[in-house]
Amino acid sequence: MKTIIAACSQNLSGSRASVQTALRTLLAARWPSQRDIRSWLQLLSVLQWVLSFLLLGTVSLLILIYLVFTRFWPISALYLAWIIFDWDTPEKGGRRLPCLRRWPVWRHFRDYFPVKLVKTHDLSPSHNYIIGSHPHGILCVGAFCNFITGSTGFGEMFPGIRPFLTTLAGNFRLPIFREYLMSGGLCPVTRRAIGYLLSKNGTGNAVAIVIGGAAESLSCRPGVTTLVLKKRKGFVRMALQHGAYLVPSFSFGENDLFRQVVFEEGSWMRSIQQCFQKMMGFAPCVFYGRGLTSVHSWGFLPYARPITTVVGEPVMVPKIEDPSSETVDMYHEMYIRSLLKLFNENKTKYGLSETDELHIL
């Protein structure tokens, strides 16, 4: 009996010692600091954004197709009926949700890079505007953060101005994704959609267009500032038809977020990319960024590089319902001169050298 009691006492003593040791180890361990928690939140906010743009539409479509063959088929049927009923909404300004634009996640998204908006001139609410957004980059991070989220203070800098951002019309044919896009203020980059915002939605509208589009994304890489703009004149014609002022903007640092394998002009890979772009509207870029667990690993998340979007001086445009080609060319040249001035006056402030030039193709 004494032997059993002694053994039990030894076991209890050992257990207490083990618990005490475990507690000391736990207390001695490094707890996450506020800085660590902020970094994790920033990384997660960027992750959800990238996954939303790359996967939300496709995954939602596959799920709805799958549900057709299950007892939950009414869900797919009802959503299809909704899309048919709601088909023209993206072309008529969409459905902006201020609560989504103010979502706290966007503050962490902004701080990950960080993204900053710089105002150089006032925009009067008594006019409408077409904002040219340059460069395209891979995923248009600067344009999205500044014109779709309220995290960089666009509303405070430009009171009375409602910003919109245009994107491929095909994105609004994808289930669920179309609702996500419209709620933030995105609209199709079509004449009908842009014309509605500039003529039937009152004044104080600023429609941001990433003018270089998919063609420009094929050439984007760190240290290169090349824009596809010389033959892109449709936005100028629309500005003249609706009397909307032209506003240049440039996101310094946009091209530094990813590394891209750039294929030379004339190569068979470049030809495949260009053919795909013409057929589908977007270009299949071969790019990579950082991984989820480490900045030294490869992945699809953008690198944390500062982005500064500078909004320039408006180019005043008269309203001409049927502008001539000469008039369009004249205002197109005025816009390019204003953009070059904006770039040259700010390049040394935001990471470029005095010798860096803006190449326009």
Side-chain angles (χ1 to χ4, degrees), residues 135 250-254 306-310 342-343 346-347 350 352:
F250 195 92
S251 294
F252 294 91
E254 182 72 47
I307 303 173
T308 303
T309 300
V310 185
L342 175 72
F343 177 82
N346 291 277
K347 60 184 179 181
Y350 306 115
L352 299 180

Side-chain angles (χ1 to χ4, degrees), residues 74-276:
I75 295 176
S76 298
L78 287 171
Y79 190 78
L80 177 60
W82 165 251
I83 286 184
I84 294 172
F85 173 77
D86 197 53
W87 189 259
D88 288 335
T89 300
E91 303 278 354
K92 297 180 178 179
R95 276 187 302 274
R96 295 163 62 95
L97 294 179
C99 60
L100 184 67
R101 293 173 61 88
R102 295 194 299 266
W103 200 16
V105 167
W106 301 132
R107 293 198 298 270
H108 300 299
F109 179 85
R110 173 200 63 195
D111 294 338
Y112 170 84
F113 299 96
V115 182
K116 181 183 178 183
L117 180 65
V118 175
K119 168 185 171 180
T120 61
H121 292 79
D122 290 330
L123 299 182
S124 171
S126 61
H127 298 287
N128 286 324
Y129 304 88
I130 290 180
I131 300 178
S133 180
H134 310 274
H136 183 284
I138 296 293
L139 293 178
C140 302
V141 173
F144 178 87
C145 192
N146 286 298
F147 302 128
I148 294 302
T149 80
S151 61
T152 57
F154 185 96
E156 290 74 25
M157 290 186 191
F158 302 101
I161 303 296
R162 294 181 298 276
F164 297 85
L165 178 63
T166 58
T167 186
L168 292 175
N171 288 328
F172 295 90
R173 304 298 176 247
L174 294 171
I176 308 302
F177 190 45
R178 70 189 294 274
E179 323 298 341
Y180 177 76
L181 294 177
M182 285 192 291
S183 63
L186 282 124
C187 64
V189 60
T190 62
R191 290 184 178 275
R192 183 185 176 194
I194 297 171
Y196 180 90
L197 292 172
L198 296 178
S199 63
K200 298 180 181 179
N201 200 40
T203 59
N205 301 293
V207 183
I209 304 175
V210 187
I211 296 166
E216 193 172 277
S217 67
L218 292 175
S219 301
C220 97
R221 51 186 167 179
V224 176
T225 48
T226 301
L227 304 182
V228 176
L229 180 57
K230 276 188 179 179
K231 297 181 180 180
R232 302 289 174 101
K233 300 179 182 180
F235 73 102
V236 178
R237 182 174 294 276
M238 288 209 69
L240 285 163
Q241 290 172 341
H242 298 284
Y245 291 4
L246 291 167
V247 183
S249 72
F250 195 92
S251 294
F252 294 91
E254 182 72 47
N255 286 349
D256 298 331
L257 304 182
F258 293 95
R259 302 291 181 266
Q260 181 179 193
V261 180
V262 178
F263 301 101
E264 297 299 326
E265 289 289 345
S267 65
W268 65 276
M269 278 299 296
R270 186 62 167 238
S271 298
I272 291 175
Q273 288 177 314
Q274 291 171 341
C275 287
F276 194 92

